[in-house]
């Protein structure tokens, strides 16, 4: 430790001495007594800036070319293809402007370095030039914003009547999903005041709503390929954000303000495994909003099935009421028999009696 302190002290002393030397040099420059240093320093700095520009752009283009497949995920939804197209158009436009402006920046720094006897040119104003760099960017940005707005309007508009409706709820620090039952295909209502993990009702499902009796809450998110899916999104505590990277789905989960996102997946899990050459590949849902210390753990497995496999999987799921039979006591007496039938509790009882 003592050696480290000595090393830091020596480095600080050298830095102070160098700073004092530079201050002395600048004082001489201001006084005009050392013009040679100014000329030499400008040439060196100008050359270094050009070298930095060449190496910087060279590395950027090399990395972008060689590692392109590493940072661009395959797309697995219809609207994702449009989203990617808009992204690359925006990247191309801004990228070209970035390169042009930075080349000019470094070139001007080199070309117009200090030279004895030369004076800089001064333009108080140039109306044509100012109109050019105001109108052209405004038009380009308007086109980009308008096309992006069209895409946003489409994914947040009303879903088709036959769309698969799935509720996704974020909470610290996990995801929970709820599906409408196969008997009525309608999600039951909920109320945040009814949320109770200890009683088996983490969603706050309204026990008096008949549509809720056959809802089920699996541990994975499944949806079919080539069919519109509507995600109804909400948060139970703080701000979260639903992110399906391969489907290009991203939408905030806001407490007290439900959001939604509709999309059509066009590649099953197996098709994506074949495409990427990884038999262990799985889609996933993660949170992209820093929501607390356990934010990193908010990851849920996602499975994209064929329609046939999806319907088969749904039929195998047990209803949340069947998994929490104690909640039957909270069902209004006049609806209790209906709740048993829709939740599959009555069927299970009959099968057990037949076996006995």
């Amino acid at each position: 430790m003592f050696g480290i302190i000595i090393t830091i002290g020596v480095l600080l002393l050298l830095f102070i001495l160098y700073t004092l030397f530079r201050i002395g040099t600048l004082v001489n420059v201001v006084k005009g007594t050392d013009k040679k240093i100014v000329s030499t320093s400008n040439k060196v700095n100008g050359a270094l800036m050009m070298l930095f520009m060449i190496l910087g752009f060279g590395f950027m283009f090399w990395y972008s070319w060689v590692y392109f497949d590493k940072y661009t995920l395959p797309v697995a939804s219809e609207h994702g293809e449009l989203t990617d197209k808009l992204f690359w158009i925006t990247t191309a436009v801004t990228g070209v402007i970035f390169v042009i402006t930075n080349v000019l920046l470094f070139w001007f720094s080199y070309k117009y370095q200090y030279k004895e006897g030369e004076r800089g040119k001064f333009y108080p104003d140039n109306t044509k030039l100012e109109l050019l760099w105001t109108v052209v960017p405004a038009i380009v940005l308007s086109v980009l914003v308008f096309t992006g707005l069209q895409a946003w309007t489409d994914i947040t508009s009303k879903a088709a009547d036959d769309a698969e409706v799935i509720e996704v709820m974020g909470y610290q620090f996990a995801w929970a999903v709820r599906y409408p039952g196969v008997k009525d295909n309608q999600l039951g209502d909920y109320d945040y005041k009814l949320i109770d993990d200890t009683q088996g009702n983490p969603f706050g499902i309204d026990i008096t709503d008949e549509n809720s009796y056959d809802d089920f809450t699996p541990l994975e998110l499944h949806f079919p390929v080539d069919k519109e899916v509507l995600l109804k999104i909400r948060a139970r505590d703080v701000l979260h954000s639903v992110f399906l990277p391969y489907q290009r789905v991203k939408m905030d989960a806001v407490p007290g303000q439900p959001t939604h996102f509709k999309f059509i997946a066009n590649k099953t899990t197996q098709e994506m495994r074949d495409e990427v050459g990884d038999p262990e590949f799985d889609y996933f849902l993660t949170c992209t909003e820093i929501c607390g210390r356990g934010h990193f753990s908010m990851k849920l497995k996602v499975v994209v099935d064929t329609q046939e496999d999806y319907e088969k999987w749904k039929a195998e799921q047990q209803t949340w009421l069947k998994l929490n039979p104690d909640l039957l006591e909270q069902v209004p007496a006049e609806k209790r028999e209906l709740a048993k039938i829709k939740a599959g509790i009555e069927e299970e009882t009959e099968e057990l009696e037949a076996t006995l």
Side-chain angles (χ1 to χ4, degrees), residues 109-329:
S109 300
Y110 174 78
K111 181 174 177 58
Y112 298 106
Q113 61 186 269
Y114 170 80
K115 293 179 183 178
E116 189 175 357
E118 289 194 4
R119 294 176 62 85
K121 297 180 177 63
F122 175 70
Y123 295 94
D125 61 74
N126 188 318
T127 303
K128 292 182 179 179
L129 188 60
E130 290 176 4
L131 282 173
L132 182 65
W133 69 40
T134 301
V135 174
V136 173
I139 294 174
V140 173
L141 289 174
S142 296
V143 172
L144 293 177
V145 170
F146 179 72
T147 52
L149 182 61
Q150 283 185 310
W152 174 258
T153 301
D154 178 61
I155 61 180
T156 56
S157 61
K158 186 178 183 300
D161 293 337
D162 64 342
E164 288 293 329
V165 180
I166 306 169
E167 183 181 57
V168 178
M169 182 181 70
Y171 63 96
Q172 294 175 315
F173 294 98
W175 294 103
V177 293
R178 181 166 67 110
Y179 288 74
V182 294
K183 294 184 177 180
D184 61 19
N185 202 33
Q186 294 287 328
L187 270 178
D189 201 2
Y190 67 88
D191 187 337
Y192 74 93
K193 297 178 183 177
L194 300 175
I195 292 174
D196 190 342
D197 282 326
T198 61
Q199 296 294 324
N201 193 5
F203 281 87
I205 299 174
D206 185 357
I207 201 79
T208 65
D209 184 3
E210 297 178 5
N211 291 328
S212 69
Y213 299 148
D214 61 344
D215 291 355
F216 61 93
T217 57
L219 299 178
E220 297 178 345
L221 174 60
H222 285 240
F223 47 81
V225 70
D226 296 328
K227 184 177 182 181
E228 188 168 278
V229 176
L230 173 65
L231 295 184
K232 291 189 172 183
I233 301 166
R234 62 187 174 109
R236 202 174 73 179
D237 36 43
V238 299
L239 189 66
H240 300 281
S241 185
V242 170
F243 183 42
L244 297 168
Y246 291 90
Q247 284 76 29
R248 304 301 193 266
V249 172
K250 188 176 185 301
M251 180 65 74
D252 283 350
V254 185
Q257 184 179 330
T259 55
H260 65 273
F261 195 113
K262 70 173 186 177
F263 65 97
I264 299 177
N266 56 12
K267 293 177 185 175
T268 65
T269 297
Q270 187 57 52
E271 288 173 338
M272 184 57 76
R273 287 175 177 175
D274 296 338
E275 181 175 331
V276 300
D278 181 5
E280 302 297 324
F281 170 87
D282 280 316
Y283 293 120
F284 60 89
L285 183 155
T286 188
C287 179
T288 53
E289 196 76 42
I290 298 178
C291 53
R293 297 178 63 181
H295 163 71
F296 68 93
S297 65
M298 290 190 65
K299 193 172 184 178
L300 181 69
K301 180 180 177 181
V302 175
V303 179
V304 182
D305 294 313
T306 61
Q307 186 66 41
E308 181 181 355
D309 289 341
Y310 178 69
E311 295 298 337
K312 181 181 178 182
W313 172 81
K314 284 205 304 182
E316 295 171 350
Q317 304 307 304
Q318 296 190 49
T319 63
W320 73 282
L321 194 55
K322 187 175 181 179
L323 295 174
N324 300 277
D326 292 343
L327 290 175
L328 274 173
E329 298 177 2

Side-chain angles (χ1 to χ4, degrees), residues 6-16:
I6 293 177
T7 302
I8 294 174
V10 171
L11 291 174
L12 287 174
L13 180 61
L14 292 174
F15 177 74
I16 292 170

